[in-house]
Amino acid sequence: MKRKKPEGQITKIPLKQRRRTFTEVSRGFSLPEALKEACRCLQCKEPMCKAGCPAGIDIKEFIRLIQEKNYMGAVKKIKETNNLPGVCGRVCPQEEQCQLYCILKNKGNAIKIGYLERFVADWELEHAVQYRVAHIQQQKPTKVAVIGSGPAGLTCAADLVQEGFEVHLFEALHKPGGVLVYGIPEFRLPKHIVNEEVDYIESLGVAVHKNFLVGRTKTIDELKNEGFKAFFIGVGAGAPKFLGIPGEILNGVYSANEFLTRVNLMKGYRFPEYDTPVTVGKIVGVFGGGNVAFDCARSALRLGAAKVCMIYRRTETEMPARDEEIENAKEEGIKLRLLVSPKEFIADKKGNIKGVRCIKNKLGEPDSSGRRSPVPIQGSKFTIKIDTAIVAIGTMANPLLLQTIPGLELTSKGYINVNDNYQTSVPDIFAGGDIVSGSATVISAIQQAKLAAKSIKDYLSASGA
Amino acid sequence: MKILTKEILAQTSDTRITKIEIEAPLIAKKVQAGQFVLLMVTEKGERIPLTVVGNDPQRESITLIFQEVGYSTKILGTLNIEDSLYALVGPLGHPTPIKNYGRILVIGGGVGIAEILPVAKALKEAGNVVYSILGARTKELLILKNEIKSYSDNLYIATDDGSLGQKGFVSNILEKILKEDKDFQLVYCVGPVPMMKVVSNVTRPYKIKTLVCLNAIMLDATGMCGGCRLIEGGKVKFCCVDGPEFNGHEVDFDELMHRQGRFINEEKVSLRKLKHKCKLDSGKKK
């Protein structure tokens, strides 16, 4: 099956520049482009797009405000429901959400809602009129702790502070933003955008505590004793998955988390100006087919690798990454080695990786994910020469915090069990995002965090807080 | 994160061991023997792990001791009293299991002596009979002798050049002790990886439980990146969350040494940068 091209064409920076710098690839809409795009919107009487937005943004209305050139109004409209428009406008898979439901999609050209969202977010930043919520309700003396400052934590904190609670946001790393700062690379999501949106949430009154590892620096029980009445855990699925094949400990084999953290959070691509190194060899193999795998591959290329290939056990059709990212990667010259499974990393005399032994697959019956499963072809073993490997086959729950909370029920895979209200087995602890659902998207974390924030509000008002 | 006190514990022409006391009220309250913190000197700095050597909840401070050996520790060594770190998080890692084992041997080599100090203290207070063996390249680099002595029933010293104690390695002393007296229930050892490897090899035939405290290259130190993975008992472990202490009889030390050299070329680049910076600084003073 051939993949459809992403709808429409957005200006990107020149390919030559793209392959060697971390500058954002997509330029987004200029003002005239945004106006033109907004004016294509039919302003449906009963718009379907909103139903496709996990954050429930009033899409029709914000586009109408763009049509009226009321960009500030459009920002306000989005921020009524989504506190991270600059982020979501860039990394949401709109083609599977709002834009999938756009009536114009039937004519082959859905409104580019994501780019319009990004446009208004960037417009606000550029015009330095940081929108402050005018009517923050009377501050309640009730303290809520939000643990983890990724998309879920930021959203939950922002929603609760706007309800008037005293919100404290705890982050173990030295910068807030979670996966938005350590995971998603600059060329897809510039860090100044994340910083601005975090600053905005801080400006609403959220107290951010960096370098604070809840469970170790202070336990949840200690925080309870200090008067915290409710907790939201949004720590993501932070532990790396490895392939579990021989040679995975060789020098030159990175987990995606390590590689991306070195590149993004620690700015390893600017070594030695920044002190943390990140190295790639001449031929890099990336294992996996999701957005993270593509982020790794495209980062490796930008770090100077001569050749980057992605090794994936199914075909392009089954790859979970966004079409747009697959397209970008191909344009940049990244090769896809499909229907291939790694079996063993091979070392050179010095104990560095020099290749990977693989086996070829064919597609079999669909598995539990609904995608056709890879079936190994007997006797098809072969070797691919690589001197750097990046394992990007997903993440799992990090037990570090969870094991410090007595009575917290987990699923068989180690994620947190929640009820329909995102409440855990410990009544005053709520959770959302990847630590509940397993690795998913930024927007699904935001959606869960919004629902959890509402539940926390209900829980606190029921308990008289 | 402010530096409250600073002291040079040892200095030779090519290296320096420095002790700093840092304001860290929350960590000071929480930290237990064997745990570490992770710090950044500047916003552009590396995240480096260091064992907490001491803590004072009243003064709301922790004490770190480090050898200025690589780029980041050299930068850390340039900080003075009143300077602040950019980031400090902890306490991290499992604490040392403290109980009355009976008779124990604590072994420290080089700056590793600093790391055995809190453990020797805690184990002594738990009622153990403590034998200590300290080793260093030369007399000037043998730190904390008196402090360790105060928690030891017996203290032995080895230096590579024989300038203090016995000439040779801690493992030579260990072998001699064990030949005469095998009645030890725990060996706790921190030092350079080759030393920990040899010590583990010496204790193996005696089947004495041997804990080594390892310092793999870390990034987040919360189990997120897997960069610090090492092999214990044939299984991959993360030094940061599974350790930092491991069973010396089961650790693949050769592999660990190899992984510690992952960024050896980049380290050279950084050190050159430091030399350049020093030259610029000294130029300014003139």
Side-chain angles (χ1 to χ4, degrees):
Chain A
M1 189 183 105
K2 224 182 132 193
R3 259 176 192 267
K4 55 196 182 305
K5 286 232 172 190
E7 294 144 355
Q9 285 304 317
I10 294 291
T11 334
K12 300 177 192 174
I13 62 169
L15 199 52
K16 214 175 155 188
Q17 190 189 348
R18 255 166 77 181
R19 301 185 68 216
R20 286 296 178 248
T21 73
F22 279 77
T23 312
E24 187 173 20
V25 165
S26 164
R27 290 195 205 270
F29 280 141
S30 65
L31 197 142
E33 284 169 340
L35 264 178
K36 197 174 157 201
E37 184 67 9
C39 290
R40 285 207 303 123
C41 175
L42 301 177
Q43 292 287 304
C44 305
K45 269 222 171 87
E46 283 171 34
M48 306 289 284
C49 49
K50 185 177 174 181
C53 174
I57 295 174
D58 190 345
I59 296 167
K60 173 186 168 182
E61 185 58 14
F62 100 74
I63 294 182
R64 190 186 64 78
L65 288 160
I66 300 178
Q67 290 174 349
E68 287 181 358
K69 301 186 183 173
N70 181 357
Y71 310 117
M72 196 62 228
V75 177
K76 283 189 192 177
K77 184 48 69 184
I78 294 175
K79 284 195 173 174
E80 279 174 12
T81 38
N82 183 10
N83 300 291
L84 300 166
V87 170
C88 290
R90 286 172 167 83
V91 303
C92 265
Q94 293 96 5
E95 64 280 2
E96 296 166 13
Q97 299 173 357
C98 50
Q99 292 174 197
L100 187 64
Y101 297 93
C102 176
I103 198 86
L104 290 174
K105 183 171 160 53
N106 296 334
K107 294 191 174 171
N109 205 1
I111 298 291
K112 290 192 240 334
I113 300 167
Y115 277 100
L116 288 175
E117 182 183 22
R118 170 181 163 173
F119 167 78
V120 289
D122 290 0
W123 183 91
E124 187 197 18
L125 291 185
E126 210 172 294
H127 295 79
V129 275
Q130 192 71 307
Y131 166 58
R132 304 277 187 271
V133 173
H135 304 288
I136 289 196
Q137 296 182 11
Q138 188 69 42
Q139 183 88 14
K140 301 180 181 108
T142 311
K143 289 208 288 190
V144 183
V146 175
I147 305 162
S149 70
L154 287 170
T155 298
C156 187
D159 280 9
L160 288 172
V161 82
Q162 290 177 81
E163 291 293 339
F165 295 106
E166 182 184 330
V167 181
H168 293 257
L169 178 60
F170 296 95
E171 168 56 49
L173 290 170
H174 57 279
K175 274 191 184 145
V179 73
L180 307 175
V181 293
Y182 76 73
I184 305 177
E186 184 78 14
F187 56 81
R188 209 149 72 79
L189 177 63
K191 297 307 145 233
H192 75 270
I193 300 286
V194 181
N195 295 343
E196 292 284 358
E197 301 208 322
V198 172
D199 284 352
Y200 162 71
I201 287 165
E202 268 196 91
S203 78
L204 297 175
V206 174
V208 178
H209 305 271
K210 295 175 288 188
N211 303 308
F212 196 118
L213 184 60
V214 175
R216 293 299 181 96
T217 311
K218 273 182 191 170
T219 61
I220 288 207
D221 278 344
E222 286 170 296
L223 292 171
K224 277 184 197 177
N225 291 337
E226 288 176 16
F228 282 92
K229 296 290 183 222
F231 297 82
F232 174 77
I233 301 177
V235 293
K241 257 188 213 162
F242 284 95
L243 290 156
I245 61 174
E248 213 153 16
I249 198 152
L250 292 174
N251 283 1
V253 182
Y254 290 100
S255 73
N257 272 2
E258 181 186 3
F259 182 73
L260 291 175
T261 302
R262 285 182 178 275
V263 172
N264 301 318
L265 176 71
M266 306 311 291
K267 303 234 180 302
Y269 66 95
R270 286 164 70 178
F271 178 87
E273 180 202 348
Y274 282 75
D275 296 340
T276 305
V278 56
T279 55
V280 294
K282 287 198 179 74
I283 311 170
V284 179
V286 178
F287 300 83
N291 286 320
V292 172
F294 278 88
D295 285 346
C296 290
R298 296 172 69 200
S299 297
L301 186 80
R302 284 158 171 81
L303 288 172
K307 192 177 162 194
V308 181
C309 61
M310 302 195 55
I311 297 160
Y312 182 60
R313 59 195 182 132
R314 313 186 207 225
T315 72
E316 200 182 319
T317 315
E318 289 82 26
M319 278 189 162
R322 291 182 71 184
D323 293 2
E324 188 178 332
E325 302 309 328
I326 298 175
E327 208 62 36
N328 277 333
K330 283 185 180 170
E331 282 171 14
E332 288 165 13
I334 284 158
K335 300 277 175 273
L336 307 185
R337 300 289 301 257
L338 301 166
L339 290 167
V340 173
S341 291
K343 289 289 160 198
E344 181 183 2
F345 292 116
I346 322 165
D348 66 9
K349 280 181 196 143
K350 289 181 181 163
N352 301 317
I353 180 175
K354 70 165 186 183
V356 55
R357 228 164 250 141
C358 298
I359 190 163
K360 288 182 183 162
N361 300 320
K362 58 184 180 197
L363 281 184
E365 293 303 308
D367 62 14
S368 59
S369 74
R371 296 172 299 168
R372 293 187 66 186
S373 59
V375 181
I377 301 171
Q378 290 301 314
S380 67
K381 276 199 183 142
F382 70 109
T383 300
I384 304 176
K385 248 174 86 171
I386 54 173
D387 52 14
T388 304
I390 304 169
V391 180
I393 54 166
T395 53
M396 49 195 187
N398 186 337
L400 197 58
L401 165 65
L402 312 188
Q403 68 200 3
T404 68
I405 308 171
L408 186 72
E409 257 176 45
L410 306 180
T411 67
S412 58
K413 285 185 171 170
Y415 297 106
I416 300 177
N417 238 337
V418 293
N419 63 19
D420 292 344
N421 299 320
Y422 291 89
Q423 186 176 30
T424 71
S425 55
V426 184
D428 53 358
I429 301 179
F430 297 74
D434 284 4
I435 193 58
V436 166
S437 59
S439 313
T441 57
V442 167
I443 192 68
S444 83
I446 290 177
Q447 177 182 35
Q448 294 174 41
K450 291 192 84 67
L451 295 168
K454 198 181 162 297
S455 300
I456 290 171
K457 184 191 156 199
D458 294 345
Y459 167 82
L460 288 172
S461 42
S463 61
Chain B
M1 291 190 275
K2 205 161 65 174
I3 296 185
L4 302 175
T5 62
K6 177 177 176 177
E7 186 186 342
I8 308 293
L9 294 185
Q11 189 156 21
T12 60
S13 57
D14 61 345
T15 190
R16 192 156 72 170
I17 299 177
T18 307
K19 172 177 160 180
I20 50 175
E21 184 193 7
I22 305 170
E23 174 189 63
L26 300 180
I27 303 172
K29 244 188 248 174
K30 267 291 162 64
V31 67
Q32 299 173 56
Q35 290 188 301
F36 64 98
V37 289
L38 190 135
L39 63 85
M40 289 172 80
V41 181
T42 67
E43 192 184 352
K44 293 182 178 180
E46 285 185 282
R47 292 171 64 90
I48 54 169
L50 284 173
T51 299
V52 178
V53 176
N55 63 313
D56 187 336
Q58 265 77 51
R59 280 176 61 82
E60 304 196 319
S61 70
I62 56 168
T63 300
L64 305 178
I65 294 176
F66 56 97
Q67 184 164 13
E68 298 178 31
V69 62
Y71 173 78
S72 289
T73 43
K74 280 181 199 286
I75 292 284
L76 181 59
T78 64
L79 294 187
N80 288 310
I81 295 172
E82 291 290 308
D83 287 343
S84 262
L85 297 173
Y86 171 73
L88 178 68
V89 62
L92 300 164
H94 292 289
T96 311
I98 300 295
K99 61 174 190 183
N100 191 346
Y101 293 88
R103 301 174 79 236
I104 60 159
L105 274 155
V106 292
I107 305 173
V111 73
I113 296 172
E115 301 183 29
I116 66 167
L117 179 66
V119 176
K121 178 173 183 265
L123 286 172
K124 180 70 198 165
E125 286 167 1
N128 291 282
V129 173
V130 179
Y131 280 50
S132 303
I133 312 175
L134 309 182
R137 227 164 63 204
T138 184
K139 187 180 159 186
E140 283 77 30
L141 290 174
L142 200 121
I143 55 170
L144 303 173
K145 193 178 87 185
N146 293 331
E147 288 83 346
I148 298 279
K149 198 176 174 182
S150 64
Y151 304 117
S152 305
D153 296 276
N154 271 310
L155 176 73
Y156 304 85
I157 289 172
T159 48
D160 296 7
D161 61 2
S163 54
L164 187 71
Q166 188 184 317
K167 184 173 180 344
F169 303 114
V170 291
S171 49
N172 304 134
I173 296 180
L174 176 67
E175 270 174 334
K176 219 172 129 191
I177 294 175
L178 292 181
K179 249 180 213 155
E180 290 165 10
D181 177 3
K182 319 184 225 318
D183 183 25
F184 290 95
Q185 286 71 49
L186 176 74
V187 171
Y188 186 89
C189 173
V190 193
V193 181
M195 183 195 111
M196 293 190 279
K197 180 183 172 184
V198 174
V199 164
S200 300
N201 284 340
V202 171
T203 60
R204 184 176 288 114
Y206 295 97
K207 298 197 171 73
I208 302 171
K209 180 177 176 171
T210 301
L211 284 179
V212 291
C213 183
L214 305 178
N215 191 0
I217 298 175
M218 293 183 193
L219 200 52
D220 62 288
T222 59
M224 193 184 92
C225 83
C228 64
R229 58 197 190 278
L230 51 86
I231 293 175
E232 182 196 43
K235 287 193 181 123
V236 173
K237 301 275 175 80
F238 290 2
C239 190
C240 65
V241 288
D242 297 322
E245 287 159 4
F246 293 91
N247 178 351
H249 296 154
E250 304 225 311
V251 170
D252 185 337
F253 288 103
D254 294 336
E255 192 282 324
L256 174 66
M257 269 183 267
H258 181 61
R259 275 188 75 76
Q260 285 191 332
R262 283 169 80 199
F263 297 106
I264 201 151
N265 293 327
E266 289 69 32
E267 179 69 18
K268 283 177 196 156
V269 173
S270 288
L271 284 170
R272 274 204 294 278
K273 180 171 76 175
L274 191 66
K275 254 185 198 163
H276 184 65
K277 192 170 172 276
C278 290
K279 267 185 199 161
L280 285 179
D281 288 350
S282 62
K284 259 184 234 161
K285 273 172 202 157
K286 280 171 199 167

